[in-house]
Amino acid sequence: MAELRTDRLVLRRWRESDLEPWAAMNADPEVREHLGDLLTREQSDASVARFQAEFDRRGYGWWAVEVEARGEFIGFAGLDEVDDYMPFTGVEIGWRLARPAWGQGYATEAALTVLAHGFDTLELPEILAVTTATNLRSQAVMRRIGMTRDPADDFDDPTESEGPLRPNVLYRIARSARI
């Protein structure tokens, strides 16, 4: 699979050198605030192994994101099939960045490139995005990339018990509606 590039970023396959900063992200309570429990190093490494296997199987998935000018790993962005237990089906876009990369437009930049790949290369008819109802930063990115939300589609995550991670929102964008 070819890399995806923006003016500032490279979205690429994962490297061994990404494991340590990825583990640090997964151990950061602020990064994990809307995701659930912190991950151990072993859990974090296992997630990368899953990402790589899914990429090999499908030809798309979660790319490692690097700031090209510095060669610095800052997180991930990509596409994934919606989990079977969710109350809807489709392909979901997502991103997760290390705290020092927040507020610099990287999530929006990466997401726009992932959307273009999903629509132009994979020819997906629609792409979804899901986050907790309290994750306003991610919802802002979803709106900036042209996604819309119908509150009738909001749902409770069936894997979460009562609490702030249970209420979720669903955003959508159709290929015909892209910005």
Side-chain angles (χ1 to χ4, degrees):
M1 180 75 227
E3 296 177 333
L4 303 180
R5 292 183 172 267
T6 73
D7 290 341
R8 302 181 295 167
L9 305 174
V10 178
L11 284 70
R12 57 166 174 74
R13 295 295 299 266
W14 292 76
R15 299 179 185 147
E16 185 74 25
S17 60
D18 300 330
L19 295 178
E20 187 173 326
W22 175 244
M25 284 178 57
N26 286 313
D28 183 330
E30 285 187 68
V31 171
R32 299 283 308 170
E33 177 183 5
H34 301 285
L35 301 168
D37 295 334
L38 302 181
L39 301 184
T40 66
R41 175 62 190 258
E42 294 74 23
Q43 291 169 318
S44 185
D45 288 356
S47 69
V48 171
R50 281 191 310 277
F51 299 161
Q52 292 172 319
E54 290 167 352
F55 224 115
D56 291 342
R57 181 176 58 82
R58 292 190 304 238
Y60 67 87
W62 301 118
W63 283 274
V65 176
E66 150 185 323
V67 177
E68 183 173 28
R70 299 189 306 265
E72 174 190 6
F73 170 88
I74 60 167
F76 82 10
L79 299 165
D80 194 17
E81 294 171 353
V82 171
D83 292 322
D84 291 337
Y85 56 80
M86 294 304 247
F88 49 86
T89 60
V91 175
E92 175 184 3
I93 190 171
W95 47 84
R96 187 177 321 157
L97 301 180
R99 262 189 300 140
W102 292 2
Q104 298 179 52
Y106 292 140
T108 300
E109 190 173 324
L112 285 168
T113 299
V114 169
L115 272 182
H117 180 76
F119 289 138
D120 299 340
T121 302
L122 302 177
E123 299 182 347
L124 297 171
E126 178 182 62
I127 296 176
L128 311 173
V130 173
T131 192
T132 60
T134 57
N135 190 346
L136 302 180
R137 293 176 77 111
S138 276
Q139 290 181 55
V141 172
M142 293 169 192
R143 288 188 301 276
R144 278 195 294 274
I145 65 173
M147 300 186 97
T148 58
R149 172 181 167 220
D150 179 347
D153 291 334
D154 293 352
F155 66 99
D156 285 340
D157 184 331
T159 66
E160 293 292 335
S161 58
E162 288 301 319
L165 299 181
R166 189 166 173 89
N168 276 241
V169 296
L170 174 65
Y171 280 72
R172 300 173 182 271
I173 186 169
R175 184 178 347 167
S176 60
R178 35 191 292 228
I179 58 174

